[in-house]
């Protein structure tokens, strides 16, 4: 096995893809997880969906089909390429979406989510880089008539003795050569770029207003539209009189579907004024989301009702006879909305049975397929151009925000940018499910848990979005993080109840880990308290023999100064979690101000993400994940009333702000295979925070968000 | 009716409704896409611009109200001598998704044009824009960097 295939496609005319690349070297490769090719399909020799182009002027372009939603993949993948290629970092460019001049140039391959991009693409991209490097070396060897071994690649040039040729100079020669099947990949010890803090390639565009997001798409003759869907999820549009909208200056069309009304005009403002002038009548008889108060009872009932067994290890019934102390608690979290900074939007242009879509999507390849199926066109006639994403967080792995743009463009026979108002965006989210967990443990005489009996009641995302993943009454995605505890507790049971309250559900950064970590790590803290054991010591005892976990705890203890008594008035809490192939631990240190205001003093995080490609990005992702999780723990809650979401904008869906955020100290360990970094920052922060609050106040906070218990975050600085 | 807006030093005559927020005039009528829409209710700061040197959330100001104001957007920042803001943002590797950053930079630019050396408390008071990606600590560092380098 030579592993992934890398081909020399310099002679193929797919280069409408971007740069002229006349006469340069172009290698194509297949990134796993993808569905599509772009350019001409390459038939039997594999579907190419990633390219590296080395142009005569020395520019090196890597074309990527992965959504950049802030997680830094547009810097990390080029770094992997540049490392093997021995490229000069300043010559590297990223090409996001191809511009189709004509015909079917198909963008986008795999989905971006589950923190898996780097994990799945490392092998392919490094191989492509290594093969390009060796072809350039070969071109130099041929030119100078010297052995290949004498040609050394270094910083964008090939050197042999006192001769030097730049990559640009060699690119034409290399383009004539066959791509070798294999090439040596560097060992970690040989890395010169990977593992070093490297600044983002997109920072300049994003700091000068030049980066183009979905909302910024402009096409000739384009209309801008906005939408109102039946506020009740699942409800329908009964009737609407379009006339009032059409009198608004700039409004051109009113388009209806069975569940929505859209107004299109010369800009967003006329469209939204037009929409506001309408009084649609809705038929909510088919709406099915239960109100929050009903849901609360439903969750409690589900915990008492029929459950499916997911983990059953040891013998709890028998072991229970020997426990000296038992504790039982329940924890609960609400619905949450992703609230990406850029509201949902898409631009569509339907013409001649072809559909072009420009959108900030996490999984363009999959949406392309779905569009083809739903609108009855050939897959080759659908093009999805990916823009920058103003945040993803799981919300943009869906097609619900693309469909209306396509329908509107079909009706108007013009390109249409469909932009949702923030209110519409929040009213029609795909929410993190509410969840409730009951946890019971039996402790032996030394205070160690010997039985662990957990029951989770969580509506299933899979049941709505991927029913094939649900077998019987079990959706494994609902319980990740509670099903495979790293802790050695001899007798364990996990049961799962799948209530259904009708509200639309989706992925929210870290998915079930956002609640399983809160439940499990809060409960362990309660066990530690019950048995009078330090929370680190309890975990260390439960992790005996697990070197990677213990190393992480040791680092966290040291970095947070856990062994030293905190300053007077300050209190600490910790949590540990494993998810997306990474291990992460966090310590929160806080003090209490008047009026139940929490002053966050410092947060320490240690992540073991296996291999650290770009420490700067890892730091940023962990810090960002912590703030995302902190916002949810403090303020996040979507209520349902009359079958609709109650919180509709940032005035009622509060966010943590700059003045409340303490210094976050992130440490990176590399103890195993490559793991995710986009999501692991989120899960531990809620339990680390509530565990610290217990230390500070003696009160256990078992239900989020904390604002419901009268707590809020204090500003950290005052004059 | 037509309104005249002074944007980045140039007067633009716009034949649009007077209640149109400056945000949408910038984006849809003038093609200045750096100023972003996040909430439309002056709650997030993504749409922040400078108006007579003060930070203003442009979703909450109509073109009618904005006549006579000297408005600077992210696109015009370098031309008024504040390109160092963007440089500092790049140096500190601030952006993640980047969507909020034009607004953050404009809010910081207003702060620094009024207060050459703000304290952290003053920074907090001025910098209330939301960043959903959580880039706050790097924004703070970038502001301090501008202060040091000016
Ligand atoms: S869009 Fe203006 S403050 Fe949010
Ligand atoms: S960088 Fe994404 S919202 Fe601020």
């Amino acid at each position: 096995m030579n592993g992934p295939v890398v081909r020399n496609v310099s002679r193929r005319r797919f280069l409408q893809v971007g740069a002229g690349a006349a006469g340069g070297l172009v290698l194509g490769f297949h990134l796993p997880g993808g569905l599509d090719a772009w350019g001409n399909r390459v038939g039997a020799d594999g579907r190419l969906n990633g390219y590296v182009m080395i142009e005569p002027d020395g520019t090196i372009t890597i074309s990527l089909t992965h959504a950049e939603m802030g997680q830094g993949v547009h810097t990390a993948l080029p770094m992997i390429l540049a490392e093997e290629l021995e490229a000069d970092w300043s010559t590297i460019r990223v090409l996001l979406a191809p511009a189709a001049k004509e015909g079917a140039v198909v963008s986008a391959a795999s989905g971006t989510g589950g923190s898996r991009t780097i994990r799945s693409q490392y092998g392919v991209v490094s191989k492509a880089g290594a093969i390009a490097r060796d072809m350039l070396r070969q071109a130099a060897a041929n030119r100078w008539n010297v052995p290949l071994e004498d040609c050394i690649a270094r910083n964008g040039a090939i050197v042999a003795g006192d001769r030097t040729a730049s990559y640009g100079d060699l690119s034409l020669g290399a383009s004539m050569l066959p791509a070798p099947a294999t090439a040596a990949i560097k060992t970690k010890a040989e890395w010169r770029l990977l593992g070093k803090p490297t600044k983002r390639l997109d920072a300049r565009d994003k700091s000068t207003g030049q980066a183009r997001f979905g909302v910024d798409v402009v096409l000739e003759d384009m209309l801008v539209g906005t939408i109102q869907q039946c506020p009740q999820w699942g409800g329908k549009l009964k009737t609407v009189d379009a006339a009032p909208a059409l009198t608004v200056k700039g409004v051109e069309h009113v388009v209806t579907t069975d569940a929505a009304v859209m107004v299109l005009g010369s800009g967003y403002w006329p469209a939204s004024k037009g929409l506001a002038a309408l009084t649609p009548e809705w038929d909510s008889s088919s709406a099915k989301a239960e109100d929050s108060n009903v849901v609360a009872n439903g969750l409690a009932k589900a915990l008492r009702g029929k459950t499916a067994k997911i983990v059953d290890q040891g013998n709890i019934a028998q072991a229970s006879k020997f426990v000296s102390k038992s504790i039982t608690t329940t924890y609960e979290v609400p619905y949450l909305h992703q609230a990406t900074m850029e509201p949902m939007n898409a631009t569509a242009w339907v013409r001649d049975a072809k559909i072009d879509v420009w959108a900030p999507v996490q999984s363009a390849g999959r949406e392309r397929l779905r569009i083809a199926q739903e609108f009855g066109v050939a897959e080759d006639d659908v093009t999805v151009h990916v823009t920058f994403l103003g945040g993803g967080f799981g919300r943009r792995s869906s097609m619900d925000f693309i469909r209306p743009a396509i329908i509107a463009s079909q009706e108007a026979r013009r390109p249409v940018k469909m932009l949702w108002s923030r209110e519409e965006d929040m009213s029609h989210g795909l929410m993190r499910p509410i969840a409730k967990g009951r946890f019971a443990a039996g402790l032996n005489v030394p205070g160690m848990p010997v039985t662990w009996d957990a029951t989770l009641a969580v509506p299933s995302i899979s049941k709505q979005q991927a029913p094939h993943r649900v077998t019987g009454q079990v959706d494994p995605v609902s319980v990740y993080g509670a099903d495979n505890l790293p802790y050695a507790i001899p007798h364990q049971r996990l049961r799962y109840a799948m209530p259904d309250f009708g509200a639309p559900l989706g992925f929210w950064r870290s998915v079930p880990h956002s609640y399983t970590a809160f439940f499990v790590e809060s409960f362990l803290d309660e066990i530690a308290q019950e048995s009078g054991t330090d929370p680190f010591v309890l975990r260390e005892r439960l992790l005996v023999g697990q070197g990677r976990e213990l190393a992480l705890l040791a680092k966290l203890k040291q970095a947070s100064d856990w062994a030293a008594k905190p300053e007077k008035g300050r209190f600490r809490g910790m949590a540990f979690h494993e998810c997306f192939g990474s291990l992460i631990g966090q310590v929160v240190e806080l003090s209490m101000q008047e009026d139940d205001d929490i002053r966050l003093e410092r947060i320490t995080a240690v992540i073991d993400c296996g291999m650290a490609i770009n420490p700067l990005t890892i730091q940023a992702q962990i810090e960002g994940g912590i703030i995302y999780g902190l916002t949810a723990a403090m303020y996040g809650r979507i209520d349902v009333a009359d079958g609709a979401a109650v919180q509709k904008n940032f005035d009622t869906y509060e966010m943590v702000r700059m003045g409340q955020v303490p210094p976050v100290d992130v440490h990176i360990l590399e103890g195993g295979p490559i793991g995710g970094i986009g999501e692991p920052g989120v899960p531990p922060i809620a339990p680390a925070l509530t565990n610290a609050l217990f230390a500070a106040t003696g009160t256990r906070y078992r239900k989020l968000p904390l604002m419901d218990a009268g707590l809020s975050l204090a500003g950290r600085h005052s004059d | 009716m037509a309104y005249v807006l002074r944007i980045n030093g140039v007067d633009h005559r716009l034949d649009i409704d007077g209640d149109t927020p400056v945000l949408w005039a910038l984006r849809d009528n003038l093609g200045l896409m750096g100023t972003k829409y996040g909430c439309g209710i002056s709650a997030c700061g993504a749409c922040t611009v400078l108006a007579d040197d003060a930070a203003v959330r442009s979703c909450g100001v109509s073109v009618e109200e904005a006549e006579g104001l000297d408005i600077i957007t992210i696109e015009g920042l370098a031309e008024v001598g504040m390109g160092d803001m963007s440089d500092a943002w790049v140096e500190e590797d601030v952006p993640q998704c980047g969507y909020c950053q034009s607004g953050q930079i404009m809010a910081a630019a207003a702060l620094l044009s009024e207060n050459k050396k703000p304290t952290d408390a003053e920074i907090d008071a001025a910098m209330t824009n939301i960043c959903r990606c959580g880039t706050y600590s790097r924004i703070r560092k970038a502001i301090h960097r501008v202060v040091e380098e000016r």
Side-chain angles (χ1 to χ4, degrees):
Chain A
M1 254 310 272
N2 291 327
V5 174
V6 176
R7 291 183 193 284
N8 183 349
V9 292
S10 308
R11 296 284 146 262
R12 291 204 178 108
R13 301 298 335 155
F14 76 95
L15 292 173
Q16 40 192 318
V17 153
L25 169 65
V26 186
L27 296 182
F29 44 89
H30 174 74
L31 291 166
L35 296 165
D36 319 310
W38 37 322
N40 301 312
R41 290 248 173 147
V42 201
D45 55 0
R47 308 211 272 177
L48 306 185
N49 57 12
Y51 295 93
V52 51
M53 300 178 247
I54 302 173
E55 296 178 63
D57 70 357
T59 308
I60 300 175
T61 305
I62 176 168
S63 75
L64 287 177
T65 53
H66 296 88
E68 173 60 66
M69 41 195 178
Q71 83 284 39
V73 57
H74 282 197
T75 303
L77 288 177
M79 282 173 73
I80 294 168
L81 178 88
E83 179 70 61
E84 295 302 334
L85 185 50
E86 293 286 354
D88 170 355
W89 181 242
S90 68
T91 61
I92 302 277
R93 305 278 174 274
V94 177
L95 184 68
L96 174 54
K101 278 191 188 134
E102 48 187 275
V105 173
V106 179
S107 80
S110 55
T112 312
S115 293
R116 78 175 91 77
T117 307
I118 302 299
R119 287 193 278 161
S120 61
Q121 318 297 1
Y122 178 83
V124 186
V125 174
S126 57
K127 181 169 178 184
I131 284 181
R133 175 199 67 214
D134 283 359
M135 291 171 78
L136 292 159
R137 289 173 59 224
Q138 187 65 55
N142 295 353
R143 181 186 292 182
W144 298 327
N145 204 11
V146 297
L148 179 62
E149 302 74 61
D150 293 358
C151 296
I152 299 180
R154 194 54 31 117
N155 203 33
I158 303 294
V159 181
D162 52 6
R163 281 182 285 209
T164 298
S166 72
Y167 282 3
D169 185 12
L170 292 166
S171 63
L172 177 62
S175 75
M176 311 291 188
L177 301 171
T182 57
I185 305 289
K186 289 183 182 177
T187 63
K188 208 172 155 186
E190 298 170 298
W191 285 356
R192 293 187 303 149
L193 181 61
L194 293 183
K196 309 264 184 323
T198 306
K199 297 214 175 99
R200 304 177 63 102
L201 289 171
D202 56 8
R204 171 69 52 186
D205 281 351
K206 288 178 173 179
S207 303
T208 50
Q210 296 305 308
R212 288 293 166 254
F213 297 84
V215 293
D216 302 326
V217 171
V218 175
L219 301 173
E220 207 176 319
D221 199 33
M222 179 182 87
L223 291 168
V224 180
T226 194
I227 182 170
Q228 188 182 6
Q229 300 157 83
C230 178
Q232 279 76 31
W233 295 302
K236 301 280 177 222
L237 176 66
K238 208 189 285 173
T239 156
V240 64
D241 172 15
L246 294 168
T247 65
V248 173
K249 179 165 157 185
V251 168
E252 302 201 23
H253 291 271
V254 174
V255 177
T256 58
T257 70
D258 66 337
V261 52
M262 300 180 266
V263 176
L264 320 181
S266 56
Y268 178 79
W269 184 250
S272 91
K273 255 173 98 172
L275 190 61
L278 299 179
T279 46
E281 272 182 58
W282 306 107
D283 170 8
S284 54
S285 60
S286 55
K288 46 186 190 294
E290 314 247 31
D291 289 2
S292 291
N293 52 344
V294 178
V295 168
N297 292 332
L299 273 179
K301 224 168 94 191
L303 277 183
R304 293 192 302 267
K306 207 166 120 40
T307 55
K309 218 174 275 176
I310 293 187
V311 175
D312 194 8
Q313 173 193 317
N315 188 333
I316 289 192
Q318 214 162 40
S320 297
K321 294 182 199 134
F322 305 101
V323 305
S324 72
K325 202 182 251 179
S326 326
I327 54 173
T328 303
T329 61
T330 59
Y331 305 94
E332 193 175 335
V333 297
Y335 289 120
L336 290 175
H337 187 274
Q338 295 83 356
T340 56
M341 211 62 224
E342 177 192 22
M344 293 302 109
N345 69 85
T347 301
W349 190 5
V350 184
R351 65 198 192 290
D352 308 331
K354 290 196 190 336
I355 301 177
D356 275 73
V357 168
W358 292 257
V361 282
Q362 283 178 239
S363 44
R366 194 186 59 200
E367 302 330 331
R368 176 169 168 257
L369 249 176
R370 289 190 192 167
I371 292 165
Q373 283 163 0
E374 193 173 318
F375 290 88
V377 297
E379 212 188 312
D380 277 345
D381 290 333
V382 180
T383 306
V384 177
H385 310 256
V386 186
T387 65
F388 274 116
L389 280 68
F393 313 127
R395 176 64 181 86
R396 291 190 152 105
S397 316
S398 164
M399 112 144 218
D400 65 315
F401 59 94
I402 299 174
R403 185 180 299 118
I406 297 176
I407 294 171
S409 173
Q410 264 174 340
E411 289 260 331
R413 297 171 178 277
R414 282 168 70 176
V416 174
K417 173 162 69 184
M418 185 60 59
L419 170 57
W420 299 21
S421 67
R422 173 62 62 190
E423 288 77 9
E424 188 64 17
D425 175 291
M426 291 205 46
S427 303
H428 289 276
L430 296 169
M431 296 185 295
R432 197 283 304 273
I434 38 148
K436 190 165 185 155
R438 186 184 55 230
F439 286 73
L443 314 190
N444 63 14
V445 177
M448 294 301 288
V450 289
T451 67
W452 175 281
D453 190 2
T455 310
L456 299 189
V458 193
S460 161
I461 303 171
S462 306
K463 193 175 158 198
Q464 292 183 5
Q465 298 206 357
H468 61 275
R469 300 198 64 163
V470 179
T471 35
Q473 281 301 298
V474 178
D475 171 15
V477 180
S478 294
V479 298
Y480 287 154
D483 60 340
N484 200 1
L485 299 180
Y487 304 116
I489 299 169
H491 307 278
Q492 288 186 35
R493 189 156 57 194
L494 172 65
R495 288 175 292 185
Y496 170 60
M498 191 194 290
D500 187 352
F501 305 115
L505 307 173
F507 302 123
W508 186 96
R509 196 172 186 179
S510 82
V511 200
H513 298 280
S514 64
Y515 50 82
T516 55
F518 174 58
F519 296 175
V520 168
E521 293 297 301
S522 293
F523 192 51
L524 270 182
D525 208 69
E526 301 210 34
I527 292 171
Q529 173 219 342
E530 196 65 46
S531 65
T533 316
D534 174 88
F536 268 95
V537 172
L538 177 79
R539 285 171 181 79
E540 284 157 8
R541 287 184 186 152
L542 293 171
L543 291 165
V544 168
Q546 301 192 57
R548 212 178 155 192
E549 282 79 357
L550 290 173
L552 187 136
L553 288 182
K555 178 73 197 174
L556 181 61
K557 208 168 175 174
Q558 175 243 322
S560 65
D561 303 312
W562 188 269
K565 224 169 116 67
E567 262 176 53
K568 196 170 174 308
R570 293 191 179 193
F571 302 89
R572 299 187 189 125
M574 63 83 66
F576 169 75
H577 195 67
E578 301 192 6
C579 55
F580 304 99
S582 292
L583 279 56
I584 183 160
Q586 293 173 9
V587 169
V588 169
E589 187 170 317
L590 54 75
S591 61
M592 298 305 291
Q593 317 287 97
E594 288 147 40
D595 300 330
D596 283 346
D597 275 2
I598 303 163
R599 184 175 198 272
L600 294 173
E601 303 291 352
R602 61 189 275 219
I603 296 175
T604 312
V606 180
I607 178 160
D608 180 346
C609 54
M611 198 160 30
I613 301 289
N614 186 355
L616 264 187
T617 303
I618 297 171
Q619 253 167 26
Q621 284 297 303
I622 298 310
E623 217 176 304
I626 286 172
I627 292 170
Y628 201 84
L630 195 57
T631 289
M634 290 304 309
Y635 307 119
R637 194 189 72 226
I638 298 287
D639 298 314
V640 181
D642 294 327
V646 172
Q647 289 78 6
K648 291 186 164 53
N649 206 326
F650 292 122
D651 53 345
T652 48
Y653 199 61
E654 184 52 77
M655 301 279 130
V656 165
R657 313 268 171 151
M658 188 160 158
Q660 304 164 326
V661 175
V664 178
D665 195 15
V666 179
H667 301 264
I668 301 167
L669 299 179
E670 300 181 276
I674 196 161
I677 57 160
E679 298 175 270
V682 179
I685 189 66
L689 173 64
T690 53
N691 293 343
L693 281 171
F694 176 78
T697 65
T699 305
R700 268 297 158 197
Y701 293 95
R702 300 190 179 100
K703 194 171 174 216
L704 301 180
L706 297 170
M707 70 169 180
D708 290 351
L711 296 165
S712 64
L713 286 184
R716 290 182 20 84
H717 303 104
S718 50
D719 286 316
Chain B
M1 222 189 115
Y3 298 86
V4 176
L5 288 194
R6 190 168 182 76
I7 310 288
N8 299 329
V10 179
D11 284 339
H12 297 270
R13 221 184 112 81
L14 295 173
D15 184 19
I16 53 178
D17 281 356
D19 63 355
T20 307
V22 169
L23 167 65
W24 298 111
L26 292 173
R27 292 182 53 82
D28 287 342
N29 299 99
L30 299 172
L32 293 170
M33 292 298 189
T35 307
K36 297 292 192 263
Y37 166 66
C39 68
I41 57 166
S42 302
C44 76
C47 64
T48 307
V49 298
L50 300 184
D52 291 349
D53 292 335
V56 162
R57 294 184 170 175
S58 66
C59 67
V61 182
S62 67
V63 295
E64 191 170 5
E65 295 161 330
E67 272 197 316
L69 294 176
D70 194 3
I71 294 174
I72 306 292
T73 70
I74 185 81
E75 290 89 350
L77 197 60
E79 264 176 60
V80 293
M82 289 196 270
D84 57 344
M85 303 291 311
S86 302
D87 296 342
W89 250 246
V90 174
E91 270 315 299
E92 294 296 341
D93 210 39
V94 174
Q96 289 190 27
C97 84
Y99 194 80
C100 73
Q101 298 298 346
S102 297
Q104 304 281 6
I105 290 172
M106 299 313 281
L111 168 67
L112 295 183
S113 65
E114 184 207 329
N115 181 345
K116 301 261 165 301
K117 206 171 184 308
T119 62
D120 276 321
E122 287 165 339
I123 291 176
D124 290 351
M127 299 299 294
T128 57
N129 289 10
I130 294 171
C131 174
R132 195 61 172 132
C133 299
T135 63
Y136 297 126
S137 69
R138 290 185 188 193
I139 293 174
R140 186 188 301 280
K141 279 193 206 143
I143 294 173
H144 284 305
R145 175 182 281 269
V146 175
V147 168
E148 272 159 38
E149 291 180 355
R150 265 190 190 168

